[in-house]
Amino acid sequence: MKVVSVKTGRPYDILIERHILDRAGEYIRPLTKAIRAVIVSDSNVAPLYADRVAKSLQNSGFATSLFVFRAGERSKRLAAVEQMYLHFLKHDLTRTDIVVALGGGVTGDMAGFAAATYLRGIDFVQIPTSLLAQVDSSVGGKTAVDLPAGKNLVGAFWQPIRVLIDPAVLKTLPDKFFRDGLGEVIKYGCIRSKALFERLERENAADWIDEVIYECVSIKRDVVEQDERDMGERAILNFGHTFGHALEKLHNYSGLTHGEAVAAGAAIITRISERNGITAQGTAKRLEQLLQKYGLPIDAEFPLTDILPAVRGDKKSTGRQVRFIFLKEIGDCLIQAIPVEEFRTFFGEHHF
């Protein structure tokens, strides 16, 4: 087993071990006096793993119930969270009980937000089952739901009491969603680890996925510990996301996965930053080649004239400027705010 300890205001451990799902109760029980545990999962994941997790929890003395929502980003709304609250009430969930998020990023974000706000906050555990959730969204305590205006606009910082990562579940993940997670994996190489990026170039990530997960989680841990509330350095984790979120919105949160959107966003912004002299020459091409190696997009189906208005509405904008994450070179990045009035010059006059 690999253990990554996260020293935030509310410290917790991330445990990485194959088949840990069957020992979930054993690793959760010492942390809580809870009587009840509600497993929150989606319609794709619940049939595969909910029974295994429930059995493990029951063997450790928890009374369990299961809340299942329709899989997909479109479910990530306040209406679905309200249904969770009603389920919690129906099953007498108290302030000392727990929520267990079993699934991908959407599940973790929604279940975490529900836990953060139900009875003003109850404990929750993350059991991520997608590569994207394992390497990124399950770590760091960001929880949220979407609004029609954009992604993750309503949320809370609420750290889990434990994260249990089982790389063995990835074998059931469709190829498209394995690639989706690799969009975030490549992001980590870009912003913090040239060695990770180069190994992804040389080898097939699937052959050493347990190490990939550990490396990415460790990088995110280091960043989150320095900036738990996302007031500064943590913004580097949004490399590719400003354009990526805009692309997801333009796709109406359907068809284009989050990791694919981040990949395209990273490629687009790196081409632009290289053109503006911020990024070392040749970086964009190298990034594009790696993204293409793993079947990820390097461009958008929309022109910048459509993307930029959505960018202005992103939650990372501050007043009349938008924060972007640019690469200096592979493994090194910076945060730079671009005033909206300078968009024409920076992105190119012909896009306006």
Side-chain angles (χ1 to χ4, degrees):
M1 176 189 290
K2 292 183 179 293
V3 180
V4 178
S5 295
V6 184
K7 295 179 176 63
T8 48
R10 195 185 195 198
Y12 58 97
D13 288 337
I14 302 160
L15 311 184
I16 306 169
E17 182 180 60
R18 287 184 173 258
H19 311 297
I20 201 171
L21 257 65
D22 299 309
R23 302 178 68 186
E26 177 184 334
Y27 290 119
I28 296 170
R29 175 44 79 193
L31 306 176
T32 178
K33 295 180 180 179
I35 297 171
R36 300 171 186 83
V38 174
I39 301 168
V40 175
S41 194
D42 71 29
S43 54
N44 290 337
V45 173
L48 296 173
Y49 303 119
D51 285 348
R52 286 172 58 187
V53 173
K55 182 179 178 181
S56 176
L57 292 169
Q58 290 160 11
N59 288 342
S60 294
F62 294 96
T64 66
S65 65
L66 174 65
F67 177 87
V68 179
F69 65 91
R70 185 175 180 180
E73 184 78 28
R74 289 185 178 183
S75 291
K76 195 178 165 185
R77 296 296 175 93
L78 287 167
V81 173
E82 182 177 359
Q83 292 303 308
M84 285 186 207
Y85 297 149
L86 295 175
H87 180 93
F88 297 169
L89 288 168
K90 179 181 177 182
H91 291 273
D92 300 319
L93 211 65
T94 69
R95 206 174 254 171
T96 57
D97 292 320
I98 63 168
V99 173
V100 177
L102 175 67
V106 171
T107 300
D109 280 5
M110 285 205 303
F113 179 64
T117 49
Y118 179 73
L119 300 180
R120 296 190 176 92
I122 65 174
D123 287 343
F124 89 111
V125 175
Q126 288 269 23
I127 305 182
T129 59
S130 70
L131 179 59
L132 188 146
Q134 290 183 352
V135 299
D136 190 72
S137 62
S138 67
V139 179
K142 279 189 175 181
T143 70
V145 294
D146 303 339
L147 294 178
K151 279 182 64 97
N152 301 328
L153 294 178
V154 177
F157 289 96
W158 193 247
Q159 301 293 349
I161 60 171
R162 180 146 285 177
V163 181
L164 305 178
I165 297 177
D166 185 347
V169 303
L170 298 178
K171 69 180 185 298
T172 64
L173 204 63
D175 288 345
K176 179 181 177 68
F177 292 102
F178 188 81
R179 292 196 304 270
D180 176 53
L182 288 172
E184 292 282 4
V185 169
I186 292 169
K187 173 196 78 176
Y188 283 109
C190 286
I191 63 171
R192 268 295 175 90
S193 178
K194 185 177 181 181
L196 173 62
F197 191 97
E198 290 176 342
R199 189 172 177 187
L200 290 168
E201 288 179 313
R202 293 192 309 269
E203 303 175 31
N204 185 342
D207 295 338
W208 51 292
I209 199 63
D210 296 44
E211 294 174 69
V212 167
I213 294 166
Y214 178 76
E215 178 74 12
C216 292
V217 165
S218 298
I219 292 171
K220 185 163 189 180
R221 181 270 314 276
D222 293 345
V223 174
V224 168
E225 285 183 347
Q226 294 300 312
D227 182 20
E228 181 177 357
R229 305 287 294 187
D230 201 8
M231 301 300 289
E233 184 188 8
R234 186 167 175 166
I236 68 172
L237 298 172
N238 289 319
F239 174 61
H241 284 62
T242 303
F243 273 20
H245 284 170
L247 293 174
E248 287 182 273
K249 182 180 178 182
L250 291 169
H251 279 267
N252 197 26
Y253 305 107
S254 178
L256 186 74
T257 67
H258 177 70
E260 289 171 337
V262 167
I268 294 167
I269 200 64
T270 302
R271 288 196 294 269
I272 293 169
S273 61
E274 191 173 302
R275 191 180 69 215
N276 280 276
I278 297 170
T279 303
Q281 292 297 309
T283 303
K285 183 175 181 181
R286 192 174 171 191
L287 173 57
E288 289 171 1
Q289 289 174 338
L290 184 59
L291 292 170
Q292 289 178 314
K293 172 182 174 178
Y294 290 106
L296 290 161
I298 60 170
D299 223 324
E301 297 176 14
F302 299 90
L304 275 180
T305 46
D306 291 341
I307 298 171
L308 288 172
V311 163
R312 292 190 191 106
D314 188 81
K315 67 181 184 300
K316 290 175 285 298
S317 64
T318 55
R320 291 290 299 169
Q321 57 186 14
V322 179
R323 281 188 305 170
F324 290 93
I325 316 306
F326 301 122
L327 299 185
K328 297 179 187 178
E329 59 184 9
I330 299 299
D332 191 13
C333 64
L334 75 157
I335 305 166
Q336 184 171 325
I338 306 294
V340 171
E341 57 267 24
E342 294 181 14
F343 271 23
R344 283 179 179 272
T345 302
F346 190 82
F347 292 107
E349 189 78 27
H350 62 286
H351 294 302
F352 293 84

